[in-house]
Amino acid sequence: MRFSTILRHIREGFKNVGRNGWMTFASMSSIAVSLFILGVFMLLAINVSKLADQLDSQVQINVYLQTDTTEAKAQEIERLLKRIPEVKTVTFVSKAEGLERFRDSMGEEGRAALDGYDAENNPLPDSFEIEAFDPQQISYIAKQIEAINLTDPEKSIERVKYGKDTIEKLFSITNAVRNIGIVIVLGLTVMAMFLISTTIKMTIIARRREISIMKLVGATNSFIRWPFFIEGAIIGFFGSLLSAAILMFGYSQLVESTSATVGLYMIQFATMDEVMSSVGGSIIGLGTVLGIFGSTISVRRYLRV
């Protein structure tokens, strides 16, 4: 295809956009709204995932031994724990270290209240801190540990503790956000494609006489179709560009206004660099493809060339 022909197609595509002002505006608005909602869910999913990663580093199983468990028995249990394939690390915490940690967590007043406890009358047991390769396997690992205790005649493991409810709620929220987002985005995508298709259809109807003349003088099918594809790409690109600009501006304002507050709780938002490429780029690319696809459907259905 010659360069002059390409320029002609682009020029005609922009003309088509101007000829159907209100329908073009409706199509761009539909894409902007659809992709804005998609972007909101993408940003939410990214930040939920980031929060999950932050919590993952803190998710662990605490295995408390009986207070009379011997050192040899503790070493045996440690070996059994390390044999569980899903276990990443096993860290032994002696009762003395556990008491020191407890004192640190209680502050100055708490430390003063616990001064009477030492190695001789330490009420805390030895324990293990276990991290998993996959946080979603925490419940399974806990059951494996309980199974070890069931086969132990001495029942050396007194208690297995982990944040079961918190972890399950976190995963359920993440899955719900993902599923709801998919349903909403699919529905809005179909609506946007319908409006784009309708816009292209009206352009074809308005130019039907011109298209017939072009056919009579020997214009090829691709020569006639290309301006409509470009029109769809223009509608999709500018609609998605508007959506991405609003999203990025709104997100930057949200992060700036809330970072000081949520920072107190050690919660970090995804940075602008992280969301600019993943969300902004994806939305603009998807909007452009959506516009081309909508115009393709309309051309195939209504343009008999």
Side-chain angles (χ1 to χ4, degrees), residues 41-54:
F41 276 96
M42 289 178 67
L43 290 173
L44 182 59
I46 289 174
N47 283 283
V48 168
S49 177
K50 190 176 182 68
L51 175 61
D53 290 340
Q54 294 174 30

Side-chain angles (χ1 to χ4, degrees), residues 157-194:
I157 297 176
E158 179 181 7
R159 183 161 55 102
V160 178
K161 182 181 177 182
Y162 64 103
K164 177 181 178 181
D165 294 338
T166 301
I167 294 171
E168 291 180 350
K169 287 179 180 178
L170 176 63
F171 291 142
S172 65
I173 291 173
T174 304
N175 292 332
V177 169
R178 185 182 298 111
N179 294 333
I180 293 173
I182 289 174
V183 172
I184 292 178
V185 168
L186 287 177
L188 292 171
T189 299
V190 172
M191 182 181 71
M193 288 176 55
F194 172 77

Side-chain angles (χ1 to χ4, degrees), residues 200 203-204 211 224-232 295 299 303:
I200 303 298
T203 304
I204 293 172
I211 292 170
I224 297 173
R225 287 170 174 161
W226 266 105
F228 297 108
F229 295 152
I230 293 174
E231 179 185 356
S295 64
V299 166
L303 187 58

Side-chain angles (χ1 to χ4, degrees), residues 142-163:
K143 292 179 181 178
Q144 295 292 99
I145 297 172
E146 291 170 353
I148 292 175
N149 200 39
L150 290 175
T151 59
D152 180 13
E154 301 177 20
K155 299 292 186 285
S156 300
I157 297 176
E158 179 181 7
R159 183 161 55 102
V160 178
K161 182 181 177 182
Y162 64 103

Side-chain angles (χ1 to χ4, degrees), residues 196-198 200-201 203-204 211 221-222 224-232 291-305:
I196 293 172
S197 177
T198 303
I200 303 298
K201 174 187 173 183
T203 304
I204 293 172
I211 292 170
N221 291 343
S222 61
I224 297 173
R225 287 170 174 161
W226 266 105
F228 297 108
F229 295 152
I230 293 174
E231 179 185 356
I292 296 173
F293 190 64
S295 64
T296 302
I297 293 175
S298 184
V299 166
R300 286 183 177 178
R301 181 174 299 177
Y302 301 108
L303 187 58
R304 304 301 181 185
V305 295

